[in-house]
Amino acid sequence: KQEVTQIPAALSVPEGENLVLNCSFTDSAIYNLQWFRQDPGKGLTSLLLIQSSQREQTSGRLNASLDKSSGRSTLYIAASQPGDSATYLCAVDQTGANNLFFGTGTRLTVIP
Amino acid sequence: DADVTQTPRNRITKTGKRIMLECSQTKGHDRMYWYRQDPGLGLRLIYYSFDVKDINKGEISDGYSVSRQAQAKFSLSLESAIPNQTALYFCATSGTVTSTDTQYFGPGTRLTVL
């Protein structure tokens, strides 16, 4: 069974810092990896989706990388802002059926 | 209006009661999903449906049932609620069976079973 781990569980940084969130998965036979953001009282919002054949995806200040062979992904956030404060979740799709295995998330706080 | 809506948003019930959580979507998507989220465990898939005639069990389907009443509606039922089903429940949708698409989530239903 696929297991997805995210470390650290929580992270606090001052505004303006660049930061990296980590995600690891045990079974490298994946179809894609997705990063989501979760705000309190709200559902999840998709940030980036990386296909298994890709190495990275970028959207604005966000850059996600994928190293399938080592079972790792990182989410890089540039020039962090207080509005980036949220829980970030990574999820792995193993079959292409979009049945996702989620990590437990990293709770990010950006201090003004 | 939100693309994926869930009702109710909050529910407190007692052990043994039957509970139905409802999900509606206006995105025109074929695929719909039900997840639960527990502290420290992340989201886990309960059931998913690829179209109206297709229902599949997820990782943790025991104690739950679902109904896909229409393309836009997918309901989750707890036939006899128990306290360890206290959790945050999310409905999600994704694109047609021929495409690879991310999932779009509803705002969640917080269920407490006493």
Side-chain angles (χ1 to χ4, degrees):
Chain A
K1 176 191 163 188
Q2 178 74 267
E3 293 185 4
V4 182
T5 304
Q6 292 184 248
I7 296 174
L11 179 65
S12 291
V13 300
E15 181 177 1
E17 271 203 6
N18 303 324
L19 60 101
V20 174
L21 306 180
N22 297 295
C23 173
S24 61
F25 46 95
T26 55
D27 186 345
S28 62
I30 66 170
Y31 192 80
N32 67 48
L33 184 142
Q34 304 182 34
W35 283 93
F36 292 86
R37 168 185 174 139
Q38 184 177 17
D39 294 282
K42 297 184 180 180
L44 282 67
T45 302
S46 177
L47 298 173
L48 290 164
L49 183 154
I50 310 177
Q51 300 280 10
S52 62
S53 59
Q54 298 175 323
R55 296 301 298 266
E56 65 179 306
Q57 281 286 339
T58 298
S59 176
R61 293 183 295 107
L62 305 180
N63 176 276
S65 69
L66 174 63
D67 184 343
K68 201 173 68 165
S69 61
S70 67
R72 294 181 180 180
S73 176
T74 61
L75 179 66
Y76 174 83
I77 302 177
S80 58
Q81 302 171 358
D84 294 330
S85 297
T87 296
Y88 291 81
L89 300 161
C90 71
V92 169
D93 180 357
Q94 282 200 270
T95 65
N98 223 338
N99 299 339
L100 299 177
F101 288 91
F102 279 85
T104 53
T106 294
R107 188 174 69 253
L108 173 66
T109 302
V110 181
I111 303 165
Chain B
D1 289 341
D3 294 320
V4 184
T5 57
Q6 293 184 233
T7 55
R9 293 293 312 277
N10 290 282
R11 182 72 182 267
I12 300 174
T13 190
K14 295 181 178 180
T15 298
K17 294 292 187 180
R18 184 178 187 274
I19 297 296
M20 178 180 287
L21 309 182
E22 299 185 339
C23 177
S24 296
Q25 53 112 347
T26 58
K27 298 190 73 67
H29 285 166
D30 289 330
R31 301 181 180 189
M32 298 187 74
Y33 310 80
W34 275 105
Y35 294 91
R36 66 177 280 175
Q37 184 177 36
D38 299 273
L41 291 178
L43 276 79
R44 292 178 291 167
L45 183 64
I46 306 172
Y47 270 95
Y48 60 101
S49 169
F50 285 172
D51 63 40
V52 175
K53 298 181 180 179
D54 179 81
I55 303 290
N56 303 280
K57 293 183 178 180
E59 182 185 355
I60 52 163
S61 59
D62 287 349
Y64 301 94
S65 62
V66 291
S67 173
R68 185 81 184 265
Q69 301 96 323
Q71 186 201 38
K73 295 183 182 298
F74 193 35
S75 299
L76 176 71
S77 293
L78 289 67
E79 296 300 326
S80 180
I82 56 177
N84 76 0
Q85 292 177 313
T86 293
L88 187 55
Y89 289 84
F90 287 105
C91 174
T93 74
S94 68
T96 65
V97 295
T98 59
S99 71
T100 299
D101 195 2
T102 189
Q103 295 188 14
Y104 299 85
F105 283 77
T109 294
R110 185 167 298 280
L111 176 66
T112 303
V113 183
L114 301 176

